[in-house]
Amino acid sequence: IAKQACERSELSMKFQTTFTETIKAFFPHSTIIESALQFPITSTGWSVELLTKDECDFDNPDYYLVLNLQDMLSSDLNELDQIESHYSKFADMNRIIVCVWCTNLSKANYSFRIVEHSTHTVATVKQYKQYETELRQLFKHTNSEYKFLCMNRIEKQHRTTVAQKLHTLDTGNISMQSKGKELVYTNKTYTDYDVEYNNCTNLMSLAQNFNTSEFSVITESQYTTEYGIVTEKFYNTVVAQHPFIAVAQRNYCSQIQGLGFKLYHCFDYGYDSVEDRYRIDKMLELNRVQLETGIDIEGCREVIDYNTEWFFNGFGTELQRRFESQLLRIWHSGDHQDPAVI
């Protein structure tokens, strides 16, 4: 896990110019820690890179400290607690900005400023955009050998539970790579992915598995957490032109809609807000017919095309707009000269 997180950070760093330039446009006298989570992860979560009082310049009223937390946080938000405990002793907390991947943290009770922005997601979108032509050519539904595709790389309790329940239907292509269970058609192995850690080439290797099934059952990285993330697992279904249902944190599908994507009318997403202990069973209950007999793919074409176009030609711009809007609100709360991006 630590190795993957480190490589995720390295991938994001390739696309950090815009992130740094955007911060500096609003707050030119800022210190930016572009990857503040320290590896490896511990049993209680990530350790955070923390600066001493002498390493900061809070005596300068125009000074800001920006910490970019590039990975999903522990469920108890230990990482944010570290920041609060350390800097509250000497810093103006209104001039500390923490960028987080997960959502709804603006409601959390911290005295520093929280900006919801994932440089890893931005990196994923930009990387996939570079290979848009190849990706569009690769993913075309060829036959309905399987009703659904359910990919699981690392075993987790919620993934094990849903995989076991789906196996009883005998209509899906299901993997659990860390336990030696591969998809029907060859793709990058568990070890290959660890060594390369490239979501785009990994997605390309999965083409035949996507093309021979009608839709995806996404099993996200998180399940029992209030502040969840949307990862490449969802974006892969969009690029592969796969409708989806999801096993993920509560209100995940609403979160996806909040990012500008559309849900599919062929599925019942009424399970999305159900509490954790019932959500998987409710998802299976509401969508059993689709899991057993499949869906009308052409009936989903309008939403498939919309989501694909939004991902490739609108989503990246929207992420940047939201990032700048949040920074602008922080800027407005102070007394600053006009930022360069305005």
Side-chain angles (χ1 to χ4, degrees):
I1 294 175
K3 181 176 184 294
Q4 293 163 26
C6 187
E7 288 165 343
R8 175 180 290 161
S9 174
E10 290 172 357
L11 173 64
S12 298
M13 291 292 285
K14 294 179 182 178
F15 299 97
Q16 281 286 59
T17 302
T18 301
F19 174 80
T20 303
E21 289 178 349
T22 301
I23 294 290
K24 288 292 186 179
F26 285 92
F27 308 109
H29 303 289
S30 59
T31 295
I32 303 172
I33 303 179
E34 294 183 341
S35 183
L37 300 184
Q38 295 185 316
F39 310 108
I41 193 171
T42 70
S43 59
T44 58
W46 306 101
S47 295
V48 181
E49 181 179 348
L50 302 170
L51 301 184
T52 66
K53 181 178 180 179
D54 291 341
E55 292 174 308
C56 303
D57 189 21
F58 284 103
D59 289 337
N60 178 352
D62 293 324
Y63 177 80
Y64 280 76
L65 174 63
V66 181
L67 308 174
N68 186 20
L69 310 186
Q70 291 183 326
D71 217 300
M72 58 184 178
L73 306 183
S74 55
S75 59
D76 63 357
L77 305 182
N78 167 61
E79 297 81 7
L80 301 184
D81 291 342
Q82 291 177 57
I83 295 169
E84 180 80 23
S85 175
H86 177 77
Y87 288 107
S88 61
K89 297 180 176 69
F90 63 84
D92 178 352
M93 301 299 279
N94 284 318
R95 288 187 280 139
I96 295 179
I97 299 171
V98 180
C99 295
V100 296
W101 188 349
C102 38
T103 61
N104 296 320
L105 275 173
S106 57
K107 303 174 184 177
N109 187 27
Y110 292 99
S111 58
F112 48 79
R113 307 302 188 99
I114 291 179
V115 169
E116 295 175 358
H117 181 73
S118 167
T119 48
H120 175 62
T121 297
V122 171
T124 298
V125 175
K126 288 185 176 181
Q127 185 186 38
Y128 284 25
K129 179 65 177 177
Q130 289 177 344
Y131 293 93
E132 178 180 1
T133 300
E134 294 91 329
L135 289 168
R136 285 184 180 269
Q137 291 173 346
L138 268 176
F139 294 101
K140 301 181 187 299
H141 181 251
T142 55
N143 64 75
S144 299
E145 184 176 352
Y146 297 94
K147 303 307 176 187
F148 63 87
L149 175 66
C150 182
M151 299 182 294
N152 302 277
R153 205 179 86 80
I154 299 174
E155 183 185 32
K156 296 184 177 182
Q157 183 57 57
H158 64 284
R159 291 173 176 167
T160 299
T161 298
V162 76
Q164 289 174 345
K165 291 177 181 291
L166 290 176
H167 270 300
T168 65
L169 301 177
D170 199 30
T171 56
N173 184 0
I174 307 169
S175 66
M176 188 67 72
Q177 281 193 312
S178 64
K179 301 298 289 184
K181 170 63 175 173
E182 296 286 350
L183 295 172
V184 173
Y185 294 106
T186 302
N187 59 284
K188 290 191 180 297
T189 67
Y190 187 88
T191 302
D192 288 341
Y193 184 84
D194 259 356
V195 170
E196 186 179 272
Y197 194 76
N198 185 312
N199 285 322
C200 189
T201 58
N202 184 59
L203 174 58
M204 290 177 176
S205 79
L206 291 162
Q208 194 171 6
N209 291 289
F210 274 107
N211 291 342
T212 54
S213 53
E214 296 180 4
F215 65 93
S216 284
V217 179
I218 300 171
T219 54
E220 263 291 7
S221 297
Q222 297 171 305
Y223 185 74
T224 57
T225 184
E226 183 176 358
Y227 306 106
I229 62 176
V230 176
T231 72
E232 73 285 342
K233 297 169 188 64
F234 167 68
Y235 304 124
N236 286 349
T237 68
V238 173
V239 173
Q241 302 191 36
H242 250 212
F244 77 94
I245 48 179
V247 177
Q249 67 269 8
R250 195 174 181 183
N251 298 318
Y252 175 83
C253 298
S254 296
Q255 193 174 342
I256 284 170
Q257 287 181 298
L259 293 173
F261 295 93
K262 293 183 178 181
L263 304 181
Y264 292 89
H265 298 302
C266 60
F267 297 119
D268 189 334
Y269 294 100
Y271 62 86
D272 194 39
S273 60
V274 172
E275 61 181 283
D276 295 346
R277 58 179 173 166
Y278 300 123
R279 196 161 58 254
I280 290 176
D281 284 338
K282 192 65 174 178
M283 182 273 286
L284 296 174
E285 173 193 334
L286 294 176
N287 297 284
R288 179 166 292 276
V289 172
Q290 295 89 331
L291 290 163
E292 291 180 342
T293 65
I295 62 173
D296 175 12
I297 297 176
E298 287 311 307
C300 299
R301 182 54 54 188
E302 183 179 348
V303 177
I304 290 172
D305 291 345
Y306 172 86
N307 283 343
T308 304
E309 291 303 317
W310 174 244
F311 177 81
F312 280 122
N313 297 310
F315 186 43
T317 301
E318 175 65 8
L319 290 175
Q320 180 67 13
R321 184 198 68 77
R322 293 183 185 205
F323 183 35
E324 292 178 3
S325 294
Q326 292 176 86
L327 294 175
L328 183 59
R329 284 195 292 271
I330 296 172
W331 174 84
H332 271 309
S333 67
D335 183 18
H336 303 285
Q337 297 297 313
D338 288 348
V341 295
I342 301 302

